[in-house]
Amino acid sequence: MKTKELINTVSQLFAGDKGLLAMDESTATCNKRFEEAGIPQTIEYRRAYREMIVTTPGFGKYISGAILYDETIYQATKDGKLFIDILKEAGIVPGIKVDEGTMDLAGFPGEKITMGLDGLKDRLAKYYELGARFAKWRAVITIGSVIPTRGCIEANMHALARYAAMCQEAGIVPIVEPEVLMDGAHNLKKCFDVTQKVQHVLFDQLFAQNVNLQGVILKPNMVLPGSSSPKQADIDTVAEATVTCLLESVPAAVPGIAFLSGGQSPETATAHLNAMHVKYRGKLPWALTFSFARAIQQPALDVWKGKDENVKAAQQLLLKRASLDDAARRGQYNPAMEKE
Ligand code: 13P
């Protein structure tokens, strides 16, 4: 195993107060976001959107790694420069989403299994060749009255561990993302219990598959009440529940944790990360940062609208969100900064 290389990549990804940008929406997800924003859903618009993102001036000051999608990793700017080269020049490590999405889990109504292990070894070798040094695989866990089931959690965490082992063999740092969805009316305690259970099974499976924890990044959900729960939680309660859950589940050998935003507003996701640092800075065994997609991209997407004349304004919004998330990693974010 290329342990040194893996550890070196992890330290680049957690350098300073930086974090990751997820820009790895599948074609279907990207088209859905475009449709909502009134943007034509074509390969050229997707390319132009990703060009707008990767060419954001100064992005490398706050963003250490960008997760790409298969379509995007081969794409280039209008002038013919590969996105992957632009990222590298900006000091941003290129990463790649390698799962192939979810399908219904046979025998478990209402639950999903993530696909993509078949042929993964060859795809990883190809992505390494192209310059990707880390990867992402997302497992989806839904909370309902009788779910998640043990069968669903075990199948998904096993797949995550097999993926992680294959990545490490290829010299690629695996981001393991077990996402407990916000959808539902459940309370915060329910999310805490499910998230903890999922993480316990995940680390059990990572041990069983001989994954080196020093070369892994965990990408978890924050612990939140369901989005339609009548009882929402304040910022500090979420921060405390999230860190407590992680302390009870995640071994100290894991170097870093990078949160997904999961449908939280950009301001809320930033405030939660900030509150964790205010309360626990210097007291945690692992680094805590962001790996947001929507919570970084959404304001910029709304302004861009598929038009060249909006590129600059959209890039300013991307840079602003990234800088606020970077401040949150220092515990120095303040909602008043949103207006500056
Ligand atoms: P969100 O931050 O929009 O949840 O996306 C993160 C991600 O990478 C989902 O897989």
Side-chain angles (χ1 to χ4, degrees):
M1 196 189 289
K2 303 169 177 172
T3 308
K4 261 201 188 142
E5 182 176 3
L6 297 172
I7 291 173
N8 183 35
T9 300
V10 171
S11 42
Q12 285 179 57
L13 291 172
F14 282 90
D17 296 309
K18 296 184 203 185
L20 311 180
L21 168 68
M23 49 177 291
D24 60 334
E25 297 80 11
S26 64
T27 300
T29 303
C30 187
N31 284 348
K32 194 174 128 215
R33 306 253 155 90
F34 278 13
E35 195 183 349
E36 287 160 3
I39 299 165
Q41 297 110 61
T42 66
I43 187 168
E44 175 49 25
Y45 274 93
R46 290 193 299 275
R47 189 207 61 74
Y49 179 59
R50 270 69 183 249
E51 171 169 347
M52 184 275 287
I53 295 177
V54 300
T55 57
T56 297
F59 225 16
K61 192 170 166 205
Y62 309 116
I63 299 292
S64 57
I67 314 172
L68 305 174
Y69 179 59
D70 185 70
E71 177 179 279
T72 319
I73 200 168
Y74 298 100
Q75 286 176 327
T77 60
K78 246 193 193 142
D79 305 339
K81 194 156 185 189
L82 282 172
F83 292 161
I84 206 160
D85 290 335
I86 292 183
L87 291 172
K88 282 197 252 172
E89 280 169 24
I92 299 173
V93 183
I96 180 81
K97 167 193 174 77
V98 300
D99 70 66
E100 294 180 329
T102 60
M103 62 179 280
D104 292 341
L105 178 59
F108 294 88
E111 299 194 289
K112 300 280 183 196
I113 181 78
T114 301
M115 308 300 292
L117 289 175
D118 289 349
L120 180 58
K121 190 179 158 112
D122 294 342
R123 288 193 291 130
L124 288 169
K126 186 184 67 184
Y127 289 137
Y128 185 93
E129 202 52 43
L130 287 167
R133 289 297 176 269
F134 71 103
K136 186 193 98 172
W137 178 290
R138 172 174 175 257
V140 180
I141 304 294
T142 308
I143 296 180
S145 55
V146 292
I147 58 173
T149 59
R150 179 177 146 199
C152 170
I153 295 174
E154 285 182 357
N156 274 289
M157 297 312 114
H158 179 73
L160 264 172
R162 296 266 296 110
Y163 139 84
M166 280 192 251
C167 282
Q168 291 192 333
E169 204 173 75
I172 289 180
V173 171
I175 294 188
V176 290
E177 180 180 10
E179 176 172 6
V180 178
L181 296 178
M182 275 170 73
D183 306 347
H186 54 271
N187 61 19
L188 179 119
K189 165 95 173 43
K190 179 75 183 176
C191 179
F192 183 102
D193 292 345
V194 170
T195 302
Q196 189 180 54
K197 170 80 189 164
V198 163
Q199 288 174 3
H200 282 167
V201 177
L202 171 64
F203 285 100
D204 187 42
Q205 289 290 332
L206 291 172
F207 279 121
Q209 295 301 323
N210 279 340
V211 174
N212 181 346
L213 293 187
Q214 292 181 70
V216 159
I217 294 170
L218 175 67
K219 176 162 173 167
N221 52 285
M222 296 183 191
V223 173
L224 301 159
S227 49
S228 50
S229 166
K231 194 163 183 271
Q232 290 300 314
D234 60 40
I235 300 290
D236 288 336
T237 304
V238 169
E240 201 177 314
T242 302
V243 172
T244 305
C245 181
L246 293 169
L247 282 170
E248 290 178 5
S249 322
V250 184
V254 172
I257 296 174
F259 291 102
L260 61 93
S261 58
Q264 301 176 71
S265 73
E267 298 78 11
T268 312
T270 306
H272 284 149
L273 180 64
N274 185 68
M276 292 179 217
H277 283 289
V278 168
K279 181 151 188 178
Y280 296 99
R281 194 163 180 80
K283 297 180 191 146
L284 298 174
W286 2 255
L288 276 189
T289 193
F290 56 94
S291 176
F292 301 153
R294 282 164 288 179
I296 292 180
Q297 292 183 45
Q298 198 62 48
L301 178 64
D302 293 340
V303 161
W304 178 60
K305 294 196 174 74
K307 300 204 167 82
D308 283 350
E309 63 263 34
N310 297 334
V311 164
K312 225 172 150 188
Q315 288 179 330
Q316 279 167 359
L317 289 173
L318 283 172
L319 195 66
K320 176 169 184 181
R321 282 265 52 98
S323 77
L324 295 176
D325 291 329
D326 177 273
R329 207 184 145 184
R330 289 190 299 278
Q332 287 175 2
Y333 165 80
N334 183 315
M337 293 158 87
E338 297 286 348
K339 297 200 178 65
E340 279 164 16

